[in-house]
Amino acid sequence: MPERKELVAVAGRDVAVSNPDKVFFPALGVTKLDLVRYYLAVADGALGGIDGRPMALKRYVNGADGEFFFQKRAPSSRPPWIETVELKFPSGRSAHEIVITDAAQLAWIVNLGCIDLNPHPVRASDLEHPDELRIDLDPMPGIEWQQILEVAAATREVLEEHGLTPWPKTSGSRGFHIYARLERRWTFREVRRAAVAVAREVERREPAIATSRWWKEERHGVFLDYNQNAKDRTVASAYSVRPTVDARVSAPLRWDEVAGCDPAAFTVATMPERFASIGDPWAGMDDTAGSLDTLLALAARDDEAGLGDAPWPPHYEKTAEEPPRVQPSKRRAGRDGDVPPAAPGKRSGPTGRRRTTAPLVEIARAATQEEALDGLERWKARHPEVVSHLEPADVMVDAMRGRSTTWTRIRVNLRNVPPEDRPGQEELEVDYDPWEGMRERWEGTQRDG
């Protein structure tokens, strides 16, 4: 039987939606066609966040509960009206990425399984000069929503004091995003440098709940992720649906809505009505492009005070001013703690291929963060004597790269737990192996050969 398709008339074109009845959000019964219709209902707002920008395709071909993969290169089999532009990455490679400019193109990429939209902070007309400063507030485990909003308020103050107009939105996940439109005069490195200056200034104003520290073992409260402004980084844009059970949306807000906002209130089911009622809170963003001059002056003062550059992600070229790319516990001598043995059934120790002198135990390796966090709660229930000693930074939740998707690892640093109360490495609460299929195929190839 041939695959069923449904044609959707949009922007003067008929866009074919394949498998329109395929369920993308099982708990809600939301189908692929429902997702396409959602994006068309808020298209004017969604296009404001992606219009004319290169976009990495984050594809969930089996719905929100399935694995996803990033596709940087535009599909070779695409309609002639799908636009592309060639991007060059820090690795030296390049790719032609999709550029969306109208609702028909938007519907076409949603049909590919793109649940959320991940544009670069540049326009196709000028790939070297970002026009967005993106502040990503990333909470550590256990941080309350109100604390995130307090850090958001401090971030707003810093940006406004430096002549920029901040635009807030929920991330659709656990965090919060604040954007500022920029004049296209600065390079990626300069925009990232400004973001570092913002993060450090917010940390100075809210030292108890905000951090600019890159290494997770040093973080507390809410991390201001300045590296989201590094070249080749993308962030889920405004009106993006996120792969959560309740199909939450990254919702643009007015500042007078922020203090009382509930991220669970913004979903595929509620956002079309909100958009029809109040319009797009970010509609005037393009008219507010500002300068980075005073933020870069703040960065220069931080340099003079001895702060220098902040760590970059590992695959970027190292700068002369950057500190060592080694987590602090591995740089310092004399740290207490034994190296835990490999987790049961594992070929390597609980921190992967590297060994550490920090007293770490690994709790879970899971296909989803939710599964991993459930495992963490079970471990805590077995070790109540440990929990009272833990600080937020002691629980490390890492997104790990698998063969075609990501998975979640949770470790606990027992540095603040008295040595006599530290539990040893136990069998993992969740023991997911992202390489299992690949390993079996490789071993079969070796036997056949």
Side-chain angles (χ1 to χ4, degrees), residues 382-397:
R382 288 204 315 278
H383 299 289
E385 74 285 355
V386 173
V387 175
S388 61
H389 296 285
L390 298 179
E391 296 178 0
D394 293 336
V395 179
M396 292 169 282
V397 182

Side-chain angles (χ1 to χ4, degrees), residues 139-298:
M140 298 295 291
I143 297 304
E144 300 293 333
W145 179 246
Q146 186 56 42
Q147 292 175 294
I148 300 171
L149 297 185
E150 289 173 14
V151 176
T155 304
R156 176 190 184 184
E157 290 178 359
V158 171
L159 292 172
E160 289 181 340
E161 288 173 12
H162 289 273
L164 295 174
T165 302
W167 299 82
K169 71 180 177 75
T170 65
S171 72
S173 184
R174 296 184 63 246
F176 199 84
H177 297 159
I178 302 173
Y179 285 21
R181 182 66 82 238
L182 303 176
E183 300 166 359
R184 285 187 269 182
R185 296 198 283 125
W186 293 275
T187 64
F188 276 94
R189 285 188 175 271
E190 289 169 320
V191 174
R192 177 190 173 276
R193 189 166 186 242
V196 173
V198 171
R200 287 172 171 168
E201 181 61 20
V202 172
E203 182 179 35
R204 284 190 283 265
R205 298 185 185 195
E206 298 287 351
I209 56 174
T211 182
S212 64
R213 303 300 182 95
W214 172 252
W215 298 106
K216 289 189 178 182
E217 65 186 36
E218 292 189 313
R219 293 182 195 171
H220 67 278
V222 179
F223 171 51
L224 289 92
D225 190 354
Y226 53 84
N227 271 331
Q228 293 291 20
N229 294 275
K231 189 174 184 179
D232 197 28
R233 288 299 182 98
T234 61
V235 177
S237 62
Y239 298 96
S240 283
V241 183
R242 307 310 302 277
T244 59
V245 172
D246 54 356
R248 292 190 189 184
V249 170
S250 182
L253 304 170
R254 302 186 307 267
W255 277 107
D256 61 6
E257 297 180 290
V258 169
C261 74
D262 177 3
F266 309 112
T267 69
V268 164
T270 63
M271 283 298 286
E273 182 178 349
R274 169 180 164 86
F275 188 82
S277 174
I278 71 168
D280 181 14
W282 281 21
M285 189 183 206
D286 283 342
D287 299 326
T288 64
S291 170
L292 286 181
D293 286 341
T294 62
L295 276 179
L296 292 176
L298 175 61

Side-chain angles (χ1 to χ4, degrees), residues 1-6 16-22 32 61 111:
M1 180 179 296
E3 178 184 90
R4 189 173 93 79
K5 295 184 179 181
E6 183 155 337
V17 179
S18 59
N19 292 317
D21 301 321
K22 188 170 188 176
K32 183 198 281 191
V61 294
N111 178 60

